[in-house]
Amino acid sequence: NSKEPFAMVIFGGAGDLAQRKLFPALYTLHRSGFLPDNFSVLGVGRSPRETEDYRQFLRNAITQFARTEVDNEEEWSSFAERFDYLSIDVTDAGTYDELERAVAEQEKQFSLPGNRLFYLAVAPKLFGVVAENLKAGGLTENNGWKRLVIEKPFGRDYLSAEALQEQINRSFPEEEVYRIDHYLGKEMVQNIEVLRFANSLFENLWNNRYISNVQITAAEIVGVENRASYYDSAGALRDMVQNHILQLLMMVAMEPPSHLNPEAIHDEKVKVLRSLRRYEEHDVSQYMVRGQYTGGFIDDKEVPPYLNEENVPEGSTNETFVAGKLYIDNFRWSGVPFYIRTGKRMAEKSTEVVIQFRDVPKHLYFNKDNNLGSNLLVIKINPEEGLALQMNAKKPGVANQVVPIMMDFCNNCGVDTPEAYESLIRDALEGDRTFFTNWEEVSLAWRFIDPIRQAWDQEGEETLAPYESGSYGPKEADALLDQDGFQWVSPY
Ligand code: BG6
């Protein structure tokens, strides 16, 4: 049942994620009729807060960040009264009795049946201990379903992820764990599946006979912001590639699932990672590039080099950019390079997948009068959502001249599409794990990442290519494609 009453507990209930993403998503879901009438939310955090202050904090967050406005006080009160706050030390198992009492009290107050959604919007080092303490404190012996929603990163490498998985599984079996990768909540990422499997036009060509290469770009304008304490030891490889970029790769490359259910879809995604060619440490320099931004200008504003950003350790060799050439060694994709690229402080904010089709035989229209382009399918994910298809056509009114033309579809023009967190929270409440990352995906992703990380950590500065802020990354990233006779197409 999609609208079962529930009690939600948000660890990190006064934190940044709650404020920017979770509250706005809950409110919009509520106003759109996607939440049951009956539910409760308990924010859990370290510093004490009065209930009324917490509800004011909730309101401010929604006013500032939600795409739905509060426009009716009565309606607002009936939403806000379901929110409460408790301050405990989440690392101390002894405080979970109090938590259990607070949740039970809300459940009683609103006559809830006992379904519980625990959301871990806290530092990763707390994931395991909170899961354990929830069990020790008796919170997992509830009457209805229980689910654990967990943010990234899930581990720092394969071994730490495995240890965390074991620790969590003692309280929540895998089918109750909902690992967030917010890219999977994005409209156009979910649309890749539809585009591929609901159109004969693309699926028949979706293989190495017709596709020459695939390009996945996730470029950002922002720098490290105030997150250096996390980011400087994660790097772009762990921050973006291990999760978001590999998820995009799986969505593009997977075989059609037998059904549209989470198990069938995860089976196919996992197979992509099993076929993903793993690089040994000594291969890394040939296939992977990493970089760090230097100073520069973005939108005419001068921005500092990574090394001068707040809290970045002196001489840090952390990467803020990664590019790579990946291969999926299976029947469908044998020989097709998947170029990936992500970085901070790049020229624009753009997440895109480009499918480049093979060219027609080079006679007839290929001559000096024509500037033909390859057929391209561009899947625009963020900030613009849409699809574009590049073809060649006769230049209107000119004899014998052929030019590339673009068919463009915009998915979010004049339409306010949902935020990733709205669809993911809704799915978690409905028990649909399709767009969450399962353990096999996480573990195989780390197996791919680990040797790359090791190579880079050992070689340090030697492997770090500087790139100017406001550029598209170091030239070494262009060379990865040049060698094969291709060029980055994005941002289109
Ligand atoms: C997060 C990373 O997962 O994704 C951030 O930790 C990054 O470093 C963000 O900025 C990018 O997300 P989006 O949705 O803006 O592309």
Side-chain angles (χ1 to χ4, degrees):
N1 181 334
S2 60
K3 293 231 227 146
E4 290 169 323
F6 65 90
M8 179 171 182
V9 180
I10 306 180
F11 291 86
D16 210 46
L17 188 74
Q19 192 184 7
R20 283 170 190 272
K21 300 290 182 186
L22 308 186
F23 293 162
L26 282 168
Y27 188 64
T28 299
L29 286 173
H30 164 71
R31 290 295 301 273
S32 322
F34 291 130
L35 291 190
D37 294 336
N38 206 1
F39 66 93
S40 68
V41 178
L42 184 69
V44 175
R46 228 174 341 198
S47 45
R49 271 171 193 261
E50 295 301 325
T51 301
E52 276 321 305
D53 292 344
Y54 192 57
R55 291 181 186 159
Q56 190 55 49
F57 170 71
L58 172 73
R59 178 145 185 177
N60 295 346
I62 287 166
T63 310
Q64 202 179 345
F65 299 112
R67 65 188 182 99
T68 312
E69 256 177 73
V70 178
D71 50 13
N72 176 325
E73 287 308 317
E74 217 173 296
E75 187 277 334
W76 169 255
S77 311
S78 69
F79 176 75
E81 71 176 8
R82 297 177 174 276
F83 285 71
D84 215 328
Y85 181 83
L86 179 73
S87 132
I88 58 167
D89 173 0
V90 297
T91 59
D92 177 359
T95 61
Y96 281 65
D97 287 351
E98 208 183 325
L99 178 58
E100 164 60 23
R101 279 197 300 278
V103 178
E105 206 171 287
Q106 277 186 317
E107 287 177 335
K108 190 155 160 242
Q109 182 188 352
F110 296 107
S111 313
L112 300 172
N115 300 321
R116 291 179 176 179
L117 187 77
F118 301 104
Y119 199 116
L120 303 191
V122 287
K125 64 172 193 281
L126 299 174
F127 293 164
V129 68
V130 171
E132 262 180 0
N133 287 346
L134 281 171
K135 182 170 184 184
L139 280 110
T140 55
E141 279 151 42
N142 53 327
N143 287 324
W145 49 252
K146 64 177 197 300
R147 293 174 194 146
L148 185 76
V149 182
I150 189 163
E151 284 285 333
K152 67 163 244 269
F154 198 91
R156 281 182 59 74
D157 51 22
Y158 174 73
L159 285 178
S160 57
E162 190 186 35
L164 178 59
Q165 173 70 355
E166 277 172 17
Q167 193 179 17
I168 286 174
N169 280 171
R170 288 200 281 273
S171 311
F172 295 87
E174 175 64 12
E175 61 278 10
E176 292 177 348
V177 180
Y178 289 66
R179 290 181 202 78
I180 295 253
D181 183 309
H182 77 281
Y183 271 50
L184 290 176
K186 292 181 191 275
E187 277 280 293
M188 286 308 296
V189 176
Q190 302 194 351
N191 217 351
I192 295 176
E193 214 176 79
V194 181
L195 180 74
R196 290 191 50 199
F197 304 134
N199 293 296
S200 62
L201 180 62
F202 301 120
E203 192 47 29
N204 291 322
L205 305 181
W206 212 261
N207 57 53
N208 56 4
R209 266 169 294 157
Y210 300 102
I211 291 178
S212 67
N213 74 92
V214 175
Q215 304 181 10
I216 300 177
T217 297
E220 295 188 86
I221 288 180
V222 293
V224 60
E225 301 179 284
N226 54 2
R227 300 162 74 218
S229 60
Y230 149 74
Y231 191 79
D232 193 74
S233 61
L237 185 69
R238 288 192 181 100
D239 186 51
M240 294 291 293
V241 181
Q242 189 270 344
N243 38 68
H244 309 321
I245 299 281
L246 289 182
Q247 285 294 338
L248 293 176
L249 179 93
M250 286 183 255
M251 297 297 281
V252 171
M254 69 193 251
E255 295 298 315
S258 55
H259 297 94
L260 286 182
N261 62 35
E263 294 74 26
I265 292 172
H266 282 132
D267 278 353
E268 297 308 333
K269 288 174 67 189
V270 162
K271 283 187 208 158
V272 174
L273 291 186
R274 287 203 196 110
S275 303
L276 180 63
R277 189 181 302 172
R278 290 211 195 133
Y279 297 133
E280 313 247 342
E281 281 176 49
H282 58 82
D283 299 323
V284 170
S285 60
Q286 192 184 339
Y287 296 104
M288 303 292 301
V289 169
R290 69 176 194 134
Q292 188 186 78
Y293 61 82
T294 60
F297 287 84
I298 296 186
D299 289 339
D300 295 330
K301 221 183 118 228
E302 188 165 10
V303 292
Y306 179 71
L307 289 177
N308 290 3
E309 299 268 28
E310 196 187 322
N311 294 329
V312 170
E314 210 183 317
S316 165
T317 58
N318 181 45
E319 81 274 352
T320 60
F321 175 98
V322 172
K325 177 172 15 176
L326 276 43
Y327 285 99
I328 299 167
D329 291 324
N330 64 12
F331 255 62
R332 186 188 285 264
W333 295 114
S334 178
V336 178
F338 282 72
Y339 302 107
I340 60 163
R341 176 173 64 159
T342 181
K344 300 230 180 252
R345 284 279 193 243
M346 293 176 64
E348 58 188 292
K349 170 81 185 166
S350 167
T351 306
E352 275 184 3
V353 175
V354 175
I355 313 290
Q356 180 167 351
F357 293 89
R358 289 188 190 282
D359 291 335
V360 291
K362 302 248 178 202
H363 54 276
L364 302 181
Y365 298 107
F366 281 83
N367 58 47
K368 64 174 177 21
D369 295 331
N370 292 324
N371 180 22
L372 296 193
S374 295
N375 289 147
L376 301 174
L377 175 68
V378 184
I379 304 171
K380 301 179 193 177
I381 294 168
N382 187 25
E384 197 187 329
E385 296 173 13
L387 293 173
L389 188 59
Q390 177 172 283
M391 293 168 284
N392 294 308
K394 185 175 165 304
K395 190 166 182 184
V398 185
N400 300 331
Q401 215 175 322
V402 178
V403 288
I405 56 163
M406 203 65 181
M407 273 172 60
D408 221 328
F409 161 71
C410 179
N411 194 57
N412 62 343
C413 295
V415 188
D416 200 8
T417 53
E419 280 280 318
Y421 277 90
E422 289 167 32
S423 35
L424 294 175
I425 291 177
R426 191 177 160 192
D427 286 350
L429 290 170
E430 293 180 2
D432 183 345
R433 294 172 72 234
T434 307
F435 291 113
F436 294 84
T437 311
N438 77 4
W439 164 244
E440 248 190 309
E441 289 166 33
V442 176
S443 59
L444 288 165
W446 280 124
R447 296 266 197 209
F448 171 76
I449 294 294
D450 281 354
I452 304 173
R453 184 75 270 162
Q454 274 154 20
W456 285 346
D457 286 348
Q458 268 161 31
E459 285 153 29
E461 207 175 352
E462 247 174 78
T463 57
L464 200 61
Y467 63 99
E468 197 180 332
S469 285
S471 70
Y472 283 98
K475 58 183 185 326
E476 286 81 347
D478 301 336
L480 278 178
L481 282 74
D482 284 348
Q483 294 159 1
D484 306 332
F486 300 122
Q487 281 177 349
W488 290 106
V489 173
S490 319
Y492 197 85

